[in-house]
Amino acid sequence: GHRCPSCAQEQFPPSPGRQRVACVGDSITRGDASHEPGRGTHPPFKRQLQGRGNWPAMLQAALGEAFVVGSFSHGGRTAADGPAALRRTAEWRSVSCFRPDVVALMVGSNDAKPETWGPAMAFPRDGYVEALLSLARELLSLPSRPRLLLLVPPPAHAVDAAEAALLGVGYPRGSVGGANLDKGVISTLLPPLVGRAARVLASEGAPAQLVETAFGGCPANQSACCELLAGDGIHTSAAGSARLPGGGGGP
């Protein structure tokens, strides 16, 4: 559950009359870490994140002074429980102290790491949906009773011939590139599974909304991928971050 870390209430002072939006996720939400103090709160540090965008910062700029946008993001984190679970981070525990009116949750790309799949060696579709629903329900039950935006992670694309040759080849023989991520899972399985989770929440009457972002036909459109994704083919560039909430509209 959510317990405020020490001093967290002072970290997020009251902001009367302003709507509070919490952006919660992994390194794609963290972006270039420009919102973090110093060199960044955890590795990889800012100097290694050049070329990435920061969609929560863009959202703050787009919404203006009537809103306070916070980024609660930690690189390498998963929806699924385990050592890399998002809910095991200080950022996750701090969301409650922020008292959000709206939460934008985007997580799943790191769940495409086969090392998290267990002995079946296949992406656990139902398990991912249940893990995402667990996070969503916990956020919806915060004392501030926020509404939830459930974001579909960006697509991923092969950055070289070696990765391209692996796409469509069943794991463990293929699909996993240099970041040990199954990019096929990210691009083809995550979107409908996030949509399934959103439909379950809607059936429960939850104030939750699915947010799907157009990425110019990526991954099929290679030129769009090159413009909208960073050099690793996973994280969003500044142009790609602008496609997420903030670049094209508010929450």
Side-chain angles (χ1 to χ4, degrees), residues 26-35 49 52-55 73 236:
D26 53 28
S27 57
I28 297 175
T29 297
R30 186 190 185 205
D32 62 5
S34 58
H35 58 286
L49 304 178
R52 299 183 188 179
N54 190 314
W55 68 266
S73 47
T236 51

Side-chain angles (χ1 to χ4, degrees), residues 84-100:
L86 178 61
R87 61 161 33 103
R88 296 191 180 204
T89 64
E91 290 86 355
W92 176 264
R93 293 189 295 273
S94 295
V95 177
S96 178
C97 306
F98 186 64
R99 302 178 299 279

Side-chain angles (χ1 to χ4, degrees), residues 35-62:
H35 58 286
E36 297 176 3
R39 64 174 185 168
T41 58
H42 61 277
F45 296 109
K46 291 181 182 180
R47 60 183 175 80
Q48 298 171 276
L49 304 178
Q50 296 177 12
R52 299 183 188 179
N54 190 314
W55 68 266
M58 293 179 176
L59 181 60
Q60 178 67 79

Side-chain angles (χ1 to χ4, degrees), residues 7-26:
C7 301
Q9 295 287 1
E10 292 140 22
Q11 183 181 355
F12 307 120
S15 51
R18 302 175 74 189
Q19 292 281 300
R20 302 172 77 89
V21 183
C23 302
V24 182
D26 53 28

Side-chain angles (χ1 to χ4, degrees), residues 48-146:
Q48 298 171 276
L49 304 178
Q50 296 177 12
R52 299 183 188 179
N54 190 314
W55 68 266
M58 293 179 176
L59 181 60
Q60 178 67 79
L63 294 176
E65 290 299 315
F67 290 79
V68 179
V69 178
S71 180
F72 300 85
S73 47
H74 196 110
R77 296 295 159 157
T78 62
D81 198 13
L86 178 61
R87 61 161 33 103
R88 296 191 180 204
T89 64
E91 290 86 355
W92 176 264
R93 293 189 295 273
S94 295
V95 177
S96 178
C97 306
F98 186 64
R99 302 178 299 279
D101 300 290
V102 180
V103 176
L105 173 64
M106 182 170 67
V107 61
S109 297
N110 291 296
D111 292 86
K113 291 180 178 178
E115 65 194 53
T116 70
W117 296 354
M121 289 190 181
F123 180 70
R125 304 181 192 202
D126 294 342
Y128 169 69
V129 172
E130 287 304 316
L132 188 59
L133 284 170
S134 177
L135 296 179
R137 289 169 178 143
E138 188 171 329
L139 292 168
L140 287 164
S141 68
L142 291 176
S144 60
R145 290 296 187 268

Side-chain angles (χ1 to χ4, degrees), residues 158-182:
V159 297
D160 55 33
E163 282 197 358
L166 292 173
L167 292 175
V169 179
Y171 181 79
R173 290 182 299 143
S175 297
V176 180
N180 197 31
L181 285 159
D182 188 325

